[in-house]
């Protein structure tokens, strides 16, 4: 069950070919994307996702995404969806064909959430910390590394996930060379310490998460303190709860870190999930 709409608003067969083989998104991963969670026909955090698509496109010096066209294209997929209540909606914006006229390729594809993600939301996950190989200090010095842009070049992120699976883990938490915590390959790291929630700062070269943003908004309203500042591995281990936040994962609990069981944070997990869901009630 998939629904595909091209950026011009036409529905297309998701099983058929539509993108040229010389599209630079395919040849070089030269493009940007977003994955939006849709629940009961309503996209969550669509504004922040489109803001981030625009920010990523700017960093790659791609043509600016046409916001009105994207909103209309999203609506076409929402209207045609006949699948489960929850959908992962991918928005893809590439540099278009090599030696073409510079017109970007754009499409939105809706698909069901993967079984594994759904299972992990309930059971929690085992996470492995892995070296990401850069120091946060490089972010401003080397803008061409595109740290903090959501590009289509996710081969490293996918490889890290496979590494975790081959080493008795479900998820990865990337560490910077200076020992600070970065993010997951497709998620943000959040810890709870008492009534304080903390996450790592975008200035360290990570993606500003729309899910983490929604959770912090709700938590602040409920009287929690929130902090966006560097985190260390000992802080992850000592926290009352360690979580990975992303659009499709929502707030997933980490119960085992680098093979060591963490304190049971099931109750905290239920509380944070309820806070996050309250944003969309
Ligand atoms: C590298 C990375 N960090 C963080 C996130 C979480 O972002 P969001 O909550 O907006 O889905 C993602 C999402 O896929 C990601 O790819």
């Amino acid at each position: 069950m998939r629904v595909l709409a091209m950026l011009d608003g036409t529905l297309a067969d998701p099983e058929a070919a539509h993108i040229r083989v010389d599209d630079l998104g395919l040849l070089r991963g030269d493009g940007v994307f977003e994955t939006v969670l849709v629940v009961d026909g309503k996209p969550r955090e669509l504004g922040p996702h489109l803001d981030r698509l625009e920010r990523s496109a700017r960093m790659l010096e791609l043509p600016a995404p046409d916001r009105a066209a994207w909103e209309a294209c999203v609506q076409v997929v929402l209207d045609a969806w006949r699948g489960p209540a929850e959908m992962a909606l991918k928005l893809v914006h590439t540099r278009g064909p090599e030696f073409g006229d510079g017109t970007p390729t754009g499409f939105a594809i809706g698909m069901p959430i993967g079984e594994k993600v759904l299972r992990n939301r309930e059971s929690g996950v085992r996470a492995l910390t892995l070296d990401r190989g850069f120091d946060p200090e490089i972010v401003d010095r080397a803008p061409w590394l595109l740290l903090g842009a959501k590009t289509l070049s996710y081969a490293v992120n996918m490889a890290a996930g496979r590494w975790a699976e081959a080493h008795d883990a479900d998820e990865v938490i990337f560490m910077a060379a200076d020992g600070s915590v970065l993010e997951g390959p497709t998620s943000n790291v959040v810890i709870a310490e008492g009534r304080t929630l903390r996450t790592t700062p975008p200035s360290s070269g990570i993606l500003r998460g729309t899910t983490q943003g929604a959770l912090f908004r709700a938590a602040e309203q409920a009287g929690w303190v929130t902090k966006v500042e560097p985190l260390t591995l000992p802080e992850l281990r000592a926290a009352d709860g360690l979580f990975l936040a992303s659009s499709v994962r929502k707030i997933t609990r980490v119960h085992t870190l680098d093979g060591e069981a963490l304190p049971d944070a099931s109750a905290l997990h239920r509380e944070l999930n309820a806070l996050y869901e309250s944003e969309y009630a």
Side-chain angles (χ1 to χ4, degrees):
M1 171 72 223
R2 289 171 175 231
V3 173
L4 169 66
M6 308 312 286
L7 187 58
D8 65 5
T10 53
L11 280 169
D13 177 359
E15 305 279 315
H18 303 284
I19 308 295
R20 287 172 49 158
V21 295
D22 61 354
D23 193 289
L24 287 163
L26 174 66
L27 291 183
R28 300 199 189 276
D30 194 358
V32 296
F33 78 107
E34 284 295 320
T35 305
V36 182
L37 176 65
V38 178
V39 182
D40 294 330
K42 295 190 199 73
R44 293 189 168 178
E45 306 299 317
L46 183 59
H49 278 292
L50 290 175
D51 291 345
R52 194 168 64 189
L53 190 74
E54 286 170 9
R55 218 165 38 238
S56 299
R58 227 173 9 251
M59 289 174 76
L60 271 71
E61 298 178 53
L62 284 167
D66 177 341
R67 193 156 181 127
W70 275 108
E71 284 167 347
C73 179
V74 165
Q75 195 57 49
V76 168
V77 176
L78 299 181
D79 291 344
W81 181 254
R82 300 287 177 271
E86 287 197 11
M87 177 212 305
L89 177 59
K90 267 191 201 304
L91 315 180
V92 180
H93 176 76
T94 86
R95 202 175 297 280
E98 193 169 27
F99 312 119
D101 65 4
T103 305
T105 300
F107 62 89
I109 182 161
M111 57 194 89
I113 313 281
E115 286 295 324
K116 191 178 149 210
V117 171
L118 293 175
R119 253 194 334 269
N120 287 347
R121 273 192 204 162
E122 299 303 318
S123 63
V125 293
R126 302 160 300 172
L128 206 58
T129 53
L130 293 183
D131 199 341
R132 186 67 180 81
F134 70 80
D135 203 305
E137 176 268 336
I138 195 88
V139 175
D140 291 333
R141 203 154 49 78
W144 56 88
L145 293 181
L146 301 176
L147 297 169
K150 195 164 167 66
T151 78
L152 288 171
S153 309
Y154 259 41
V156 167
N157 306 44
M158 299 298 102
R162 287 193 301 276
W163 182 273
E165 284 180 13
H167 294 83
D168 299 321
D170 312 293
E171 292 276 3
V172 168
I173 295 178
F174 279 135
M175 304 295 296
D178 68 355
S180 61
V181 176
L182 293 169
E183 63 186 339
T186 59
S187 64
N188 290 107
V189 176
V190 173
I191 64 169
E193 292 172 333
R195 306 306 278 174
T196 300
L197 291 182
R198 296 174 61 193
T199 193
T200 55
S203 59
S204 60
I206 63 146
L207 221 58
R208 191 188 299 265
T210 64
T211 315
Q212 169 270 316
L215 172 65
F216 277 32
R217 223 167 44 226
E220 281 161 21
Q221 286 205 341
W224 289 66
V225 174
T226 63
K227 292 183 179 167
V228 180
E229 60 187 16
L231 292 174
T232 64
L233 187 51
E235 287 174 324
L236 299 195
R237 290 213 184 93
D240 298 319
L242 170 60
F243 306 93
L244 294 175
S246 81
S247 299
V248 297
R249 271 179 199 78
K250 301 187 173 177
I251 317 296
T252 291
R253 178 172 60 98
V254 177
H255 58 63
T256 305
L257 183 61
D258 293 331
E260 305 233 339
L262 297 175
D264 181 14
S266 315
L268 197 50
H269 176 237
R270 276 193 296 278
E271 185 177 353
L272 294 185
N273 240 352
L275 279 176
Y276 161 76
E277 289 294 339
S278 72
E279 281 294 292
Y280 310 103

